[in-house]
Structures are given as C-alpha cells and as structure tokens.
Amino acid sequence: MESNNAAQVLEAKIVKHCAPVLTGIKPASMFSCPLKSAQCCGNPACTSLKLVDFFLAYDDCKNRLSRLGVEMTILNQRERSALVFVYRPSHLLRTISSKESAEFLKTLGYDASDVNKSLNILAQRIDVANPSSGRRRTCSFPHEIGVFLGYPVEDVIGFMENQGDNYLVCGCWKAYSNASDAITCFCRFEECTQDLVCRHEAGTRIDELVVPERFEAA
C-alpha cells in the first residue's frame, strides 16, 4: 500500500475509534492497527498496512495532531498489529490524578501526577500481559487501562471484582455504578463518532475535525 493510502487508512481509524478525543470530550482512546506480514496475500480489500507505510502515516498524523493538543503513542507493537493510544495530555492528567483514580493507580505502582511515566508503566504492563512471541495477533490489557480511557474508576474496580459479570449496562465499558450516566455517555460518544466519521468520509481533513486544545471541553 502506498504511503498516501496508508495515511488515509490510519486517519480513518483514528476518526472511527478516537472521535470523542478529537473533540475534547474524552481524555483518551485506543485502537489496534493491523500490520501486513511478509507473507501477506496481497488481497486488495485488506486494510492492513506495511510496517514502513504505517510508521510514515503515524509520524505524519502524530505531528499534525500534536500541534492541536492531541498526542499519539504506540503502547504495544507486535508482528501483525500496533496498539495506538490517542490522548489529550491535560485532560488525561486531570482524569488519572483525580483523588479516586490516583489512589487506585498508586496501588498498582503508578505515579498519577506524571502522564508520560504512567503511560510508560502501562505499556510495560501490557507487554508483561502479552509475552512476545511474534505470533500472537491479539493483545490483553491490564484492567486499569479503563481509568486512562476515562471510564469511572468505580466501574473499573467493579469490573475487576466481578470478573466482567453482573454489570448494570454495557456500552463503551461495563458500568457497575450509575447506569443512567453511563448510557448518556455512551450516546454522546456514539453521536460524536457518527458525526466525525461522516464529515471525514465527505472529505474533511482530520486536522479540521479536532477541537484545538485551547477550546477543549472539561
């Protein structure tokens, strides 16, 4: 796949999976970007990216979004996928350093006052949860990643205590504490995503979809 097509594919994935981050209503989102193996069959319908094309597209998107207050980092890379984390540093810091979140994350070895250090620890914990074999296609996540994605800490703890069962409602996450607030949030995220995806498919550049940092919603 040529690099310009790769950029279009990566942009579309960012918009589809991270629209609420682009508009400032969510601190972070993530998605797995499939990568082509050396033995890829060459199916034209395949949306996997060659490694070199992926990194060219990634660097381009990262530079353009960073100027608008949105950052990107790769939390985990395997032979056939890269886990891309898209976030607003100031919004993410407010989220993880809130009293309840910071106390919870501290029990797991995080310093919630430092976003970069916390993301480095998260990346290490993802790597430990996914021993490098070069063959594994999927990625397991430490449960606290929900806090980084803006999910209520009580729901993250509820998920851990109930092993994913007994939830009140399920959408972007499994809610255990306040079903009505969760449903409202699910709908808000979905409406945001549908709007940005439609605008992007109509030709609006990803740069033009971002609400700049200075106007970021609280």
Side-chain angles (χ1 to χ4, degrees), residues 184-195:
T184 298
C185 197
F186 298 161
C187 292
R188 189 184 184 197
F189 290 169
E190 179 62 26
E191 290 172 358
C192 172
T193 300
Q194 290 180 357
D195 176 48

Side-chain angles (χ1 to χ4, degrees), residues 28-44:
S29 291
M30 65 181 184
F31 62 93
S32 180
C33 184
L35 304 175
K36 285 184 179 179
S37 67
Q39 295 79 30
C40 184
C41 62
N43 184 344

Side-chain angles (χ1 to χ4, degrees), residues 19 35 59 109 128 133 148 202:
L35 304 175
D59 288 342
V128 168
S133 67
F148 289 82

Side-chain angles (χ1 to χ4, degrees), residues 103-185:
E103 289 177 351
F104 169 66
L105 291 174
K106 185 177 180 180
T107 66
L108 299 172
Y110 290 88
D111 175 5
S113 66
D114 190 308
V115 167
N116 290 331
K117 287 182 179 179
S118 293
L119 289 178
N120 285 337
I121 293 173
L122 180 61
Q124 292 169 10
R125 286 173 61 84
I126 291 174
D127 192 55
V128 168
N130 298 271
S132 298
S133 67
R135 298 179 181 178
R136 190 184 180 100
R137 294 189 181 187
T138 58
C139 187
S140 298
F141 306 113
H143 295 310
E144 72 271 13
I145 199 167
V147 177
F148 289 82
L149 297 174
Y151 306 159
V153 66
E154 57 267 29
D155 290 343
V156 175
I157 294 174
F159 181 92
M160 296 170 67
E161 292 177 343
N162 289 273
Q163 298 183 334
D165 296 327
N166 307 316
Y167 50 88
L168 299 177
V169 63
C170 180
C172 302
W173 70 89
K174 291 182 177 179
Y176 292 83
S177 56
N178 192 320
S180 60
D181 283 357
I183 291 172
T184 298
C185 197

Side-chain angles (χ1 to χ4, degrees), residues 7-93:
Q8 293 172 5
V9 169
L10 185 59
E11 274 198 21
K13 290 183 181 295
I14 293 171
V15 173
K16 178 181 179 181
H17 297 286
C18 310
V21 180
L22 301 183
T23 58
I25 62 176
K26 192 171 185 284
S29 291
M30 65 181 184
F31 62 93
S32 180
C33 184
L35 304 175
K36 285 184 179 179
S37 67
Q39 295 79 30
C40 184
C41 62
N43 184 344
C46 177
T47 59
S48 298
L49 304 179
K50 291 181 180 179
L51 191 61
V52 63
D53 290 337
F54 165 74
F55 276 109
L56 287 172
Y58 173 85
D59 288 342
D60 177 60
C61 286
K62 180 179 175 69
N63 290 334
R64 287 190 284 132
L65 292 179
S66 181
R67 294 195 291 267
L68 298 170
V70 177
E71 298 293 341
M72 294 172 57
T73 190
I74 298 173
L75 287 181
N76 188 267
Q77 183 185 337
R78 314 198 73 76
E79 181 182 8
R80 298 191 180 182
S81 68
L83 182 63
V84 181
F85 188 81
V86 180
Y87 65 104
R88 297 212 175 213
S90 61
H91 195 167
L92 181 56
L93 178 61

